[in-house]
Protein backbone atom coordinates (compact mmCIF):
# COMPACT_ATOMS: atom_id res chain seq x y z
CA UNK A 1 0.00 0.00 0.00
CA UNK A 2 1.43 3.41 -0.93
CA UNK A 3 2.10 6.02 1.77
CA UNK A 4 -0.74 8.32 2.77
CA UNK A 5 -0.21 12.07 2.96
CA UNK A 6 -2.27 13.85 5.59
CA UNK A 7 -3.13 17.55 5.41
CA UNK A 8 -0.17 19.66 6.40
CA UNK A 9 -0.14 21.36 9.77
CA UNK A 10 -0.16 25.15 9.90
CA UNK A 11 3.26 26.70 10.08
CA UNK A 12 3.66 27.37 13.76
CA UNK A 13 6.85 27.78 15.75
CA UNK A 14 6.35 26.53 19.29
CA UNK A 15 8.40 27.94 22.13
CA UNK A 16 8.99 26.62 25.61
CA UNK A 17 7.94 29.99 27.04
CA UNK A 18 4.47 29.54 25.58
CA UNK A 19 3.57 26.71 27.96
CA UNK A 20 0.74 27.33 30.37
CA UNK A 21 1.74 27.82 33.97
CA UNK A 22 1.65 24.68 36.09
CA UNK A 23 -1.09 24.34 38.65
CA UNK A 24 -0.43 24.91 42.35
CA UNK A 25 -1.10 21.21 42.95
CA UNK A 26 1.69 20.26 40.53
CA UNK A 27 4.04 22.70 42.20
CA UNK A 28 3.29 21.29 45.65
CA UNK A 29 3.82 17.70 44.53
CA UNK A 30 7.01 18.66 42.68
CA UNK A 31 8.47 20.36 45.73
CA UNK A 32 7.60 17.35 47.88
CA UNK A 33 9.18 15.03 45.31
CA UNK A 34 12.34 17.10 45.15
CA UNK A 35 12.58 17.19 48.93
CA UNK A 36 12.11 13.44 49.30
CA UNK A 37 14.62 12.79 46.52
CA UNK A 38 17.17 15.05 48.15
CA UNK A 39 16.71 13.47 51.56
CA UNK A 40 16.94 9.93 50.15
CA UNK A 41 20.29 10.53 48.49
CA UNK A 42 23.46 11.52 50.29
CA UNK A 43 25.05 12.65 47.03
CA UNK A 44 23.28 15.55 45.26
CA UNK A 45 22.90 15.44 41.49
CA UNK A 46 25.95 17.05 39.84
CA UNK A 47 24.59 18.57 36.62
CA UNK A 48 27.98 19.94 35.53
CA UNK A 49 29.70 16.58 35.91
CA UNK A 50 26.87 14.78 34.12
CA UNK A 51 26.99 17.21 31.19
CA UNK A 52 30.79 17.05 30.98
CA UNK A 53 30.66 13.26 30.79
CA UNK A 54 27.88 13.35 28.20
CA UNK A 55 29.85 15.76 26.03
CA UNK A 56 32.97 13.61 26.34
CA UNK A 57 31.11 10.49 25.30
CA UNK A 58 29.43 12.39 22.47
CA UNK A 59 32.78 13.61 21.15
CA UNK A 60 34.32 10.15 21.45
CA UNK A 61 31.45 8.44 19.67
CA UNK A 62 31.32 10.97 16.84
CA UNK A 63 35.08 10.70 16.34
CA UNK A 64 34.84 6.92 16.24
CA UNK A 65 31.94 6.96 13.80
CA UNK A 66 33.75 9.37 11.51
CA UNK A 67 36.99 7.38 11.63
CA UNK A 68 35.25 4.09 10.95
CA UNK A 69 32.94 5.32 8.19
CA UNK A 70 33.37 3.53 4.89
CA UNK A 71 32.64 5.98 2.04
CA UNK A 72 31.80 2.98 -0.15
CA UNK A 73 29.05 1.75 2.19
CA UNK A 74 25.55 2.56 0.98
CA UNK A 75 24.28 3.73 4.38
CA UNK A 76 27.22 6.07 4.76
CA UNK A 77 26.67 7.61 1.31
CA UNK A 78 23.02 8.39 2.08
CA UNK A 79 23.80 9.79 5.53
CA UNK A 80 26.59 12.04 4.23
CA UNK A 81 24.43 13.31 1.38
CA UNK A 82 21.65 14.31 3.79
CA UNK A 83 24.04 15.92 6.29
CA UNK A 84 25.74 17.85 3.48
CA UNK A 85 22.41 19.11 2.10
CA UNK A 86 21.17 20.29 5.48
CA UNK A 87 24.35 22.27 6.05
CA UNK A 88 24.64 23.60 2.49
CA UNK A 89 21.04 24.77 2.24
CA UNK A 90 21.02 26.52 5.61
CA UNK A 91 18.45 24.40 7.43
CA UNK A 92 20.87 22.78 9.89
CA UNK A 93 20.66 24.05 13.46
CA UNK A 94 22.83 23.62 16.57
CA UNK A 95 24.55 21.51 17.61
CA UNK A 96 26.70 21.91 14.49
CA UNK A 97 28.02 20.49 12.36
CA UNK A 98 25.17 18.03 12.06
CA UNK A 99 27.40 15.32 10.60
CA UNK A 100 27.45 12.10 12.67
CA UNK A 101 24.42 13.30 14.66
CA UNK A 102 20.67 13.01 14.53
CA UNK A 103 20.56 16.40 12.80
CA UNK A 104 18.75 19.34 14.30
CA UNK A 105 16.91 21.41 11.71
CA UNK A 106 14.93 24.56 11.09
CA UNK A 107 11.29 23.69 11.66
CA UNK A 108 11.85 20.95 14.24
CA UNK A 109 9.21 22.55 16.48
CA UNK A 110 6.71 22.68 13.62
CA UNK A 111 7.32 18.97 12.91
CA UNK A 112 6.73 18.28 16.61
CA UNK A 113 3.49 20.26 16.46
CA UNK A 114 2.33 18.11 13.52
CA UNK A 115 3.02 15.03 15.64
CA UNK A 116 1.23 16.55 18.62
CA UNK A 117 -1.98 16.91 16.60
CA UNK A 118 -2.17 13.22 15.75
CA UNK A 119 -4.63 10.97 17.58
CA UNK A 120 -1.89 8.42 18.21
CA UNK A 121 -0.01 11.05 20.24
CA UNK A 122 -3.02 12.63 21.93
CA UNK A 123 -4.33 9.23 23.05
CA UNK A 124 -0.95 8.00 24.30
CA UNK A 125 -0.35 7.89 28.04
CA UNK A 126 3.35 6.99 27.84
CA UNK A 127 5.64 8.15 25.01
CA UNK A 128 9.23 7.04 24.50
CA UNK A 129 11.27 9.84 22.90
CA UNK A 130 14.95 9.86 21.92
CA UNK A 131 17.19 12.41 23.70
CA UNK A 132 18.39 14.31 20.60
CA UNK A 133 18.00 18.02 19.92
CA UNK A 134 15.39 17.94 17.10
CA UNK A 135 13.01 15.98 19.33
CA UNK A 136 13.29 18.34 22.31
CA UNK A 137 9.92 19.92 21.47
CA UNK A 138 8.33 16.46 21.32
CA UNK A 139 9.56 15.81 24.84
CA UNK A 140 8.14 19.18 25.88
CA UNK A 141 4.73 18.42 24.35
CA UNK A 142 4.73 15.05 26.10
CA UNK A 143 5.40 16.48 29.55
CA UNK A 144 3.23 19.58 29.16
CA UNK A 145 0.42 17.29 27.99
CA UNK A 146 0.56 15.39 31.32
CA UNK A 147 1.87 12.23 29.68
CA UNK A 148 4.64 9.97 30.92
CA UNK A 149 7.92 10.57 29.10
CA UNK A 150 10.28 7.62 28.75
CA UNK A 151 13.71 8.72 27.56
CA UNK A 152 17.05 6.92 27.44
CA UNK A 153 20.22 8.23 28.94
CA UNK A 154 22.42 9.24 25.97
CA UNK A 155 24.11 6.20 24.44
CA UNK A 156 22.91 4.12 27.42
CA UNK A 157 26.37 4.41 28.96
CA UNK A 158 25.44 6.50 32.00
CA UNK A 159 22.22 4.62 32.72
CA UNK A 160 19.18 3.05 31.14
CA UNK A 161 15.77 4.72 30.76
CA UNK A 162 14.28 7.45 32.91
CA UNK A 163 10.58 8.13 33.41
CA UNK A 164 9.41 11.71 33.84
CA UNK A 165 5.96 13.05 34.65
CA UNK A 166 4.90 16.67 35.01
CA UNK A 167 4.11 16.31 38.72
CA UNK A 168 7.71 15.21 39.34
CA UNK A 169 9.06 18.49 37.98
CA UNK A 170 9.12 21.83 39.84
CA UNK A 171 7.05 24.65 38.42
CA UNK A 172 8.70 26.25 35.41
CA UNK A 173 11.29 23.47 34.99
CA UNK A 174 9.69 21.41 32.23
CA UNK A 175 11.97 23.00 29.58
CA UNK A 176 15.00 21.95 31.63
CA UNK A 177 13.55 18.46 32.06
CA UNK A 178 13.50 18.14 28.26
CA UNK A 179 17.32 18.23 28.15
CA UNK A 180 19.59 15.27 28.86
CA UNK A 181 20.76 16.87 32.10
CA UNK A 182 17.20 17.68 33.15
CA UNK A 183 16.00 14.15 32.42
CA UNK A 184 18.74 12.76 34.67
CA UNK A 185 18.03 15.39 37.32
CA UNK A 186 14.25 15.05 37.55
CA UNK A 187 13.61 11.60 36.09
CA UNK A 188 13.14 8.32 37.90
CA UNK A 189 15.59 5.71 36.64
CA UNK A 190 14.04 2.35 35.82
CA UNK A 191 15.43 -1.14 35.45
CA UNK A 192 14.65 -4.19 33.36
CA UNK A 193 11.94 -5.32 35.81
CA UNK A 194 9.88 -2.14 35.45
CA UNK A 195 6.27 -2.86 34.50
CA UNK A 196 5.49 -0.27 31.88
CA UNK A 197 3.45 0.02 28.71
CA UNK A 198 4.75 2.38 26.03
CA UNK A 199 1.98 3.63 23.75
CA UNK A 200 4.12 5.44 21.18
CA UNK A 201 7.77 5.56 20.15
CA UNK A 202 9.28 8.74 18.72
CA UNK A 203 12.64 8.15 17.09
CA UNK A 204 15.23 10.44 15.52
CA UNK A 205 16.47 9.86 11.97
CA UNK A 206 19.13 10.99 9.54
CA UNK A 207 17.19 9.79 6.50
CA UNK A 208 13.84 8.09 5.97
CA UNK A 209 12.04 6.74 2.91
CA UNK A 210 8.36 7.75 2.93
CA UNK A 211 7.43 5.05 0.41
CA UNK A 212 8.63 2.16 2.60
CA UNK A 213 9.20 3.46 6.12
CA UNK A 214 12.87 2.48 5.93
CA UNK A 215 15.00 4.59 8.26
CA UNK A 216 18.67 5.36 8.82
CA UNK A 217 19.99 6.71 12.11
CA UNK A 218 23.43 8.12 12.72
CA UNK A 219 25.01 4.68 12.65
CA UNK A 220 25.65 3.84 16.30
CA UNK A 221 22.73 1.44 16.72
CA UNK A 222 21.32 2.78 19.98
CA UNK A 223 17.77 3.23 18.71
CA UNK A 224 17.77 -0.45 17.77
CA UNK A 225 19.15 -1.48 21.17
CA UNK A 226 16.57 0.62 23.00
CA UNK A 227 13.79 -0.88 20.89
CA UNK A 228 15.07 -4.40 21.52
CA UNK A 229 15.21 -3.91 25.28
CA UNK A 230 11.68 -2.53 25.37
CA UNK A 231 10.55 -5.64 23.48
CA UNK A 232 12.26 -7.82 26.08
CA UNK A 233 10.51 -5.90 28.88
CA UNK A 234 7.12 -6.40 27.23
CA UNK A 235 6.65 -2.63 27.03
CA UNK A 236 5.99 -2.65 23.28
CA UNK A 237 4.91 -5.03 20.54
CA UNK A 238 4.44 -5.03 16.77
CA UNK A 239 1.38 -2.79 17.08
CA UNK A 240 3.28 0.02 18.87
CA UNK A 241 3.54 2.87 16.40
CA UNK A 242 6.96 4.31 15.58
CA UNK A 243 7.09 7.97 14.51
CA UNK A 244 9.97 10.13 13.36
CA UNK A 245 10.21 13.91 13.03
CA UNK A 246 12.53 15.14 10.26
CA UNK A 247 13.02 17.96 7.78
CA UNK A 248 11.58 17.45 4.31
CA UNK A 249 15.13 17.37 2.96
CA UNK A 250 15.73 14.20 4.99
CA UNK A 251 13.17 12.33 2.89
CA UNK A 252 14.93 9.99 0.44
CA UNK A 253 13.91 7.35 -2.07
CA UNK A 254 17.03 5.19 -2.29
CA UNK A 255 17.17 3.12 0.91
CA UNK A 256 17.25 -0.47 -0.38
CA UNK A 257 14.85 -2.42 1.82
CA UNK A 258 16.46 -5.71 0.83
CA UNK A 259 19.76 -4.53 2.38
CA UNK A 260 18.30 -3.57 5.75
CA UNK A 261 19.36 -5.68 8.72
CA UNK A 262 17.01 -7.64 10.94
CA UNK A 263 17.45 -5.15 13.82
CA UNK A 264 16.75 -1.99 11.76
CA UNK A 265 13.62 -0.23 13.04
CA UNK A 266 11.14 1.02 10.41
CA UNK A 267 8.78 3.94 10.97
CA UNK A 268 5.00 4.04 10.63
CA UNK A 269 4.58 7.83 10.53
CA UNK A 270 6.83 10.67 9.34
CA UNK A 271 6.21 14.22 10.55
CA UNK A 272 7.97 17.11 8.81
CA UNK A 273 7.42 20.87 9.11
CA UNK A 274 5.06 20.69 6.10
CA UNK A 275 3.41 17.25 6.05
CA UNK A 276 2.48 14.06 7.85
CA UNK A 277 3.09 10.79 6.01
CA UNK A 278 1.64 7.40 6.92
CA UNK A 279 4.16 4.99 5.42
CA UNK A 280 2.09 1.79 5.68
CA UNK A 281 5.44 0.07 6.12
CA UNK A 282 5.67 -3.64 5.40
CA UNK A 283 9.14 -3.92 6.93
CA UNK A 284 9.06 -6.29 9.95
CA UNK A 285 9.85 -4.72 13.30
CA UNK A 286 12.66 -6.22 15.39
CA UNK A 287 11.58 -8.84 17.91
CA UNK A 288 14.27 -8.15 20.49
CA UNK A 289 18.05 -7.83 20.73
CA UNK A 290 20.03 -9.77 18.14
CA UNK A 291 23.07 -10.72 20.18
CA UNK A 292 24.93 -12.11 17.18
CA UNK A 293 25.05 -8.55 15.81
CA UNK A 294 26.35 -7.01 19.06
CA UNK A 295 30.11 -6.57 19.33
CA UNK A 296 31.94 -7.41 22.58
CA UNK A 297 33.22 -3.82 22.63
CA UNK A 298 29.71 -2.35 22.51
CA UNK A 299 28.56 -4.83 25.14
CA UNK A 300 31.47 -3.80 27.34
CA UNK A 301 30.41 -0.15 27.23
CA UNK A 302 26.74 -0.64 28.16
CA UNK A 303 26.13 -1.98 31.64
CA UNK A 304 22.41 -2.60 31.18
CA UNK A 305 23.11 -4.84 28.18
CA UNK A 306 25.57 -6.91 30.17
CA UNK A 307 22.98 -7.25 32.92
CA UNK A 308 20.35 -8.35 30.40
CA UNK A 309 22.72 -10.85 28.79
CA UNK A 310 23.58 -12.40 32.17
CA UNK A 311 19.91 -12.61 33.08
CA UNK A 312 18.91 -14.36 29.85
CA UNK A 313 21.83 -16.76 30.08
CA UNK A 314 20.93 -17.64 33.68
CA UNK A 315 17.25 -18.10 32.80
CA UNK A 316 17.91 -20.24 29.74
CA UNK A 317 21.10 -22.02 30.78
CA UNK A 318 22.66 -21.19 27.43
CA UNK A 319 25.45 -18.85 26.36
CA UNK A 320 24.24 -16.14 24.00
CA UNK A 321 26.19 -15.54 20.78
CA UNK A 322 28.32 -12.46 20.24
CA UNK A 323 28.95 -10.40 17.14
CA UNK A 324 32.25 -9.47 15.49
CA UNK A 325 34.62 -7.00 17.10
CA UNK A 326 34.59 -3.33 16.19
CA UNK A 327 36.89 -0.40 16.85
CA UNK A 328 35.51 1.93 19.51
CA UNK A 329 37.24 5.12 20.72
CA UNK A 330 39.50 5.01 23.79
CA UNK A 331 37.84 6.65 26.78
CA UNK A 332 40.62 9.23 27.08
CA UNK A 333 40.08 10.58 23.56
CA UNK A 334 38.25 13.86 23.57
CA UNK A 335 37.03 16.42 21.08
CA UNK A 336 36.28 20.10 21.56
CA UNK A 337 33.44 21.26 23.77
CA UNK A 338 29.99 20.84 22.21
CA UNK A 339 26.75 22.57 22.90
CA UNK A 340 24.26 20.60 24.97
CA UNK A 341 21.24 18.92 23.54
Amino acid sequence: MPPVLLPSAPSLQLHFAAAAASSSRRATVAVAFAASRSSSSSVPFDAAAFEAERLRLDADARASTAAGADPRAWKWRIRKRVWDVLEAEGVARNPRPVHHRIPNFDGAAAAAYSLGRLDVFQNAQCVKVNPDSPQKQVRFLTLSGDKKLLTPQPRLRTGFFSILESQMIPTGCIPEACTSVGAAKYGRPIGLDERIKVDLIVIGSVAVDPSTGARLGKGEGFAELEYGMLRYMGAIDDSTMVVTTVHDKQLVDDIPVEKLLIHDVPVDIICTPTQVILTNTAIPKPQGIYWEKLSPEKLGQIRILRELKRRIEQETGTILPCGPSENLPPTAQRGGRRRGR
Side-chain angles (χ1 to χ4, degrees):
M1 183 181 296
V4 177
L5 300 180
L6 299 182
S8 61
S11 178
L12 176 64
Q13 186 73 17
L14 301 182
H15 299 278
F16 290 133
S22 301
S23 66
S24 59
R25 177 191 61 81
R26 179 183 300 172
T28 302
V29 172
V31 170
F33 171 82
S36 64
R37 179 168 183 165
S38 175
S39 63
S40 64
S41 175
S42 59
V43 180
F45 178 75
D46 189 335
F50 178 91
E51 179 69 353
E53 176 68 357
R54 187 188 71 80
L55 291 171
R56 182 185 68 80
L57 294 174
D58 180 67
D60 286 350
R62 292 182 65 244
S64 174
T65 303
D70 181 357
R72 298 167 297 177
W74 66 269
K75 285 185 176 181
W76 164 253
R77 290 197 301 269
I78 296 174
R79 289 183 182 113
K80 185 176 186 303
R81 186 183 74 220
V82 171
W83 285 324
D84 287 347
V85 166
L86 294 177
E87 289 284 358
E89 300 196 14
V91 297
R93 294 295 181 265
N94 286 327
R96 307 267 302 273
V98 295
H99 293 73
H100 309 292
R101 303 181 191 271
I102 297 297
N104 198 11
F105 57 89
D106 181 36
Y113 175 73
S114 294
L115 168 58
R117 296 174 65 228
L118 299 178
D119 287 344
V120 69
F121 179 84
Q122 294 182 1
N123 294 334
Q125 297 181 30
C126 178
V127 184
K128 184 263 183 186
V129 188
N130 60 296
D132 299 280
S133 295
Q135 284 72 46
K136 180 184 276 188
Q137 189 73 32
V138 179
R139 299 191 292 275
F140 178 75
L141 292 176
T142 300
L143 289 174
S144 60
D146 288 328
K147 304 176 187 297
K148 288 183 181 179
L149 170 65
L150 182 70
T151 190
Q153 292 300 316
R155 294 188 169 85
L156 299 176
R157 295 192 197 173
T158 54
F160 184 35
F161 289 100
S162 293
I163 289 180
L164 295 94
E165 298 182 67
S166 58
Q167 63 265 30
M168 300 165 59
I169 303 166
T171 302
C173 293
I174 285 182
E176 180 188 7
C178 297
T179 66
S180 295
V181 172
K185 180 178 180 180
Y186 298 116
R188 176 175 66 84
I190 67 171
L192 293 168
D193 294 320
E194 184 82 14
R195 304 290 294 178
I196 185 173
K197 180 181 182 297
V198 175
D199 301 304
L200 179 67
I201 291 178
V202 181
I203 193 170
S205 303
V206 172
V208 62
D209 189 333
S211 67
T212 65
R215 165 200 172 269
L216 297 182
K218 59 180 178 287
E220 295 182 33
F222 286 99
E224 289 74 19
L225 291 174
E226 293 159 9
Y227 187 94
M229 284 187 281
L230 289 175
R231 287 296 294 245
Y232 170 82
M233 296 169 64
I236 59 174
D237 56 30
D238 282 338
S239 68
T240 307
M241 300 290 278
V242 178
V243 185
T244 192
T245 58
V246 296
H247 195 275
D248 293 270
K249 295 185 182 299
Q250 293 173 256
L251 302 179
V252 302
D253 61 4
D254 57 345
I255 299 179
V257 173
E258 69 278 4
K259 292 186 178 180
L260 293 176
L261 301 177
I262 192 172
H263 59 262
D264 286 326
V265 179
V267 300
D268 299 291
I269 304 175
I270 303 169
C271 296
T272 81
T274 66
Q275 59 186 321
V276 174
I277 304 169
L278 308 183
T279 67
N280 293 308
T281 184
I283 301 171
K285 291 176 179 174
Q287 300 300 298
I289 292 184
Y290 297 92
W291 299 96
E292 68 275 13
K293 305 291 185 183
L294 191 62
S295 74
E297 291 81 9
K298 180 79 77 175
L299 187 65
Q301 287 185 337
I302 304 175
R303 177 192 56 78
I304 195 69
L305 274 180
R306 298 195 300 274
E307 177 185 334
L308 176 57
K309 185 173 185 288
R310 284 194 298 268
R311 177 178 298 194
I312 294 175
E313 289 176 339
Q314 290 173 356
E315 291 174 352
T316 63
T318 60
I319 302 300
L320 293 172
C322 191
S325 294
E326 63 177 326
N327 292 322
L328 294 178
T331 56
Q333 184 179 0
R334 177 164 185 163
R337 180 169 179 81
R338 302 291 197 269
R339 291 173 59 96
R341 281 177 174 169

mmCIF file of all heavy atoms in Angstrom, residues 4-19:
data_model
loop_
_atom_site.group_PDB
_atom_site.id
_atom_site.type_symbol
_atom_site.label_atom_id
_atom_site.label_comp_id
_atom_site.label_asym_id
_atom_site.label_seq_id
_atom_site.Cartn_x
_atom_site.Cartn_y
_atom_site.Cartn_z
ATOM 1 N N VAL A 4 0.397 7.400 2.758
ATOM 2 C CA VAL A 4 -0.739 8.321 2.775
ATOM 3 C C VAL A 4 -0.268 9.659 3.297
ATOM 4 O O VAL A 4 0.347 9.745 4.359
ATOM 5 C CB VAL A 4 -1.872 7.767 3.677
ATOM 6 C CG1 VAL A 4 -3.020 8.758 3.743
ATOM 7 C CG2 VAL A 4 -2.341 6.417 3.163
ATOM 8 N N LEU A 5 -0.555 10.717 2.543
ATOM 9 C CA LEU A 5 -0.207 12.069 2.960
ATOM 10 C C LEU A 5 -1.405 12.697 3.646
ATOM 11 O O LEU A 5 -2.495 12.759 3.075
ATOM 12 C CB LEU A 5 0.212 12.921 1.762
ATOM 13 C CG LEU A 5 1.421 12.425 0.959
ATOM 14 C CD1 LEU A 5 1.707 13.385 -0.194
ATOM 15 C CD2 LEU A 5 2.632 12.307 1.849
ATOM 16 N N LEU A 6 -1.212 13.156 4.872
ATOM 17 C CA LEU A 6 -2.269 13.847 5.593
ATOM 18 C C LEU A 6 -2.149 15.341 5.358
ATOM 19 O O LEU A 6 -1.079 15.837 4.966
ATOM 20 C CB LEU A 6 -2.170 13.539 7.083
ATOM 21 C CG LEU A 6 -2.318 12.064 7.468
ATOM 22 C CD1 LEU A 6 -2.245 11.929 8.980
ATOM 23 C CD2 LEU A 6 -3.610 11.473 6.945
ATOM 24 N N PRO A 7 -3.207 16.098 5.579
ATOM 25 C CA PRO A 7 -3.126 17.555 5.414
ATOM 26 C C PRO A 7 -2.008 18.132 6.261
ATOM 27 O O PRO A 7 -1.794 17.730 7.404
ATOM 28 C CB PRO A 7 -4.504 18.041 5.885
ATOM 29 C CG PRO A 7 -5.405 16.862 5.709
ATOM 30 C CD PRO A 7 -4.555 15.655 5.968
ATOM 31 N N SER A 8 -1.305 19.085 5.687
ATOM 32 C CA SER A 8 -0.171 19.661 6.405
ATOM 33 C C SER A 8 -0.655 20.512 7.562
ATOM 34 O O SER A 8 -1.732 21.102 7.523
ATOM 35 C CB SER A 8 0.677 20.519 5.465
ATOM 36 O OG SER A 8 -0.091 21.577 4.942
ATOM 37 N N ALA A 9 0.172 20.535 8.603
ATOM 38 C CA ALA A 9 -0.139 21.356 9.771
ATOM 39 C C ALA A 9 0.168 22.808 9.456
ATOM 40 O O ALA A 9 1.027 23.103 8.633
ATOM 41 C CB ALA A 9 0.695 20.898 10.963
ATOM 42 N N PRO A 10 -0.508 23.750 10.098
ATOM 43 C CA PRO A 10 -0.162 25.149 9.901
ATOM 44 C C PRO A 10 1.249 25.422 10.364
ATOM 45 O O PRO A 10 1.754 24.779 11.279
ATOM 46 C CB PRO A 10 -1.189 25.892 10.786
ATOM 47 C CG PRO A 10 -1.632 24.875 11.788
ATOM 48 C CD PRO A 10 -1.590 23.558 11.073
ATOM 49 N N SER A 11 1.894 26.349 9.694
ATOM 50 C CA SER A 11 3.260 26.698 10.081
ATOM 51 C C SER A 11 3.219 27.437 11.404
ATOM 52 O O SER A 11 2.710 28.547 11.498
ATOM 53 C CB SER A 11 3.893 27.588 9.006
ATOM 54 O OG SER A 11 5.196 27.969 9.385
ATOM 55 N N LEU A 12 3.739 26.797 12.423
ATOM 56 C CA LEU A 12 3.664 27.375 13.763
ATOM 57 C C LEU A 12 4.917 27.014 14.519
ATOM 58 O O LEU A 12 5.248 25.849 14.665
ATOM 59 C CB LEU A 12 2.438 26.837 14.515
ATOM 60 C CG LEU A 12 2.289 27.292 15.969
ATOM 61 C CD1 LEU A 12 2.084 28.798 16.026
ATOM 62 C CD2 LEU A 12 1.122 26.577 16.629
ATOM 63 N N GLN A 13 5.652 28.005 14.965
ATOM 64 C CA GLN A 13 6.848 27.775 15.750
ATOM 65 C C GLN A 13 6.465 27.776 17.218
ATOM 66 O O GLN A 13 5.952 28.762 17.741
ATOM 67 C CB GLN A 13 7.888 28.881 15.480
ATOM 68 C CG GLN A 13 9.219 28.653 16.140
ATOM 69 C CD GLN A 13 10.011 27.556 15.454
ATOM 70 O OE1 GLN A 13 9.722 27.188 14.349
ATOM 71 N NE2 GLN A 13 11.013 27.041 16.141
ATOM 72 N N LEU A 14 6.673 26.629 17.875
ATOM 73 C CA LEU A 14 6.353 26.535 19.290
ATOM 74 C C LEU A 14 7.550 26.965 20.109
ATOM 75 O O LEU A 14 8.687 26.768 19.724
ATOM 76 C CB LEU A 14 5.962 25.102 19.642
ATOM 77 C CG LEU A 14 4.752 24.538 18.877
ATOM 78 C CD1 LEU A 14 4.476 23.129 19.387
ATOM 79 C CD2 LEU A 14 3.534 25.409 19.052
ATOM 80 N N HIS A 15 7.322 27.508 21.247
ATOM 81 C CA HIS A 15 8.400 27.941 22.127
ATOM 82 C C HIS A 15 8.107 27.435 23.531
ATOM 83 O O HIS A 15 6.955 27.340 23.948
ATOM 84 C CB HIS A 15 8.517 29.467 22.156
ATOM 85 C CG HIS A 15 8.820 30.050 20.811
ATOM 86 N ND1 HIS A 15 10.085 30.106 20.283
ATOM 87 C CD2 HIS A 15 7.992 30.589 19.878
ATOM 88 C CE1 HIS A 15 10.036 30.667 19.084
ATOM 89 N NE2 HIS A 15 8.782 30.960 18.813
ATOM 90 N N PHE A 16 9.166 27.094 24.254
ATOM 91 C CA PHE A 16 8.993 26.621 25.611
ATOM 92 C C PHE A 16 8.268 27.659 26.460
ATOM 93 O O PHE A 16 7.477 27.341 27.326
ATOM 94 C CB PHE A 16 10.360 26.326 26.247
ATOM 95 C CG PHE A 16 11.028 25.126 25.656
ATOM 96 C CD1 PHE A 16 12.355 25.183 25.285
ATOM 97 C CD2 PHE A 16 10.338 23.947 25.484
ATOM 98 C CE1 PHE A 16 12.964 24.075 24.754
ATOM 99 C CE2 PHE A 16 10.944 22.826 24.951
ATOM 100 C CZ PHE A 16 12.272 22.897 24.590
ATOM 101 N N ALA A 17 8.531 28.939 26.210
ATOM 102 C CA ALA A 17 7.943 29.988 27.039
ATOM 103 C C ALA A 17 6.433 30.077 26.870
ATOM 104 O O ALA A 17 5.744 30.700 27.665
ATOM 105 C CB ALA A 17 8.572 31.340 26.698
ATOM 106 N N ALA A 18 5.895 29.428 25.828
ATOM 107 C CA ALA A 18 4.467 29.537 25.581
ATOM 108 C C ALA A 18 3.652 28.552 26.405
ATOM 109 O O ALA A 18 2.430 28.528 26.320
ATOM 110 C CB ALA A 18 4.190 29.292 24.095
ATOM 111 N N ALA A 19 4.302 27.719 27.166
ATOM 112 C CA ALA A 19 3.570 26.712 27.964
ATOM 113 C C ALA A 19 2.722 27.400 29.016
ATOM 114 O O ALA A 19 3.083 28.427 29.591
ATOM 115 C CB ALA A 19 4.553 25.774 28.642
#
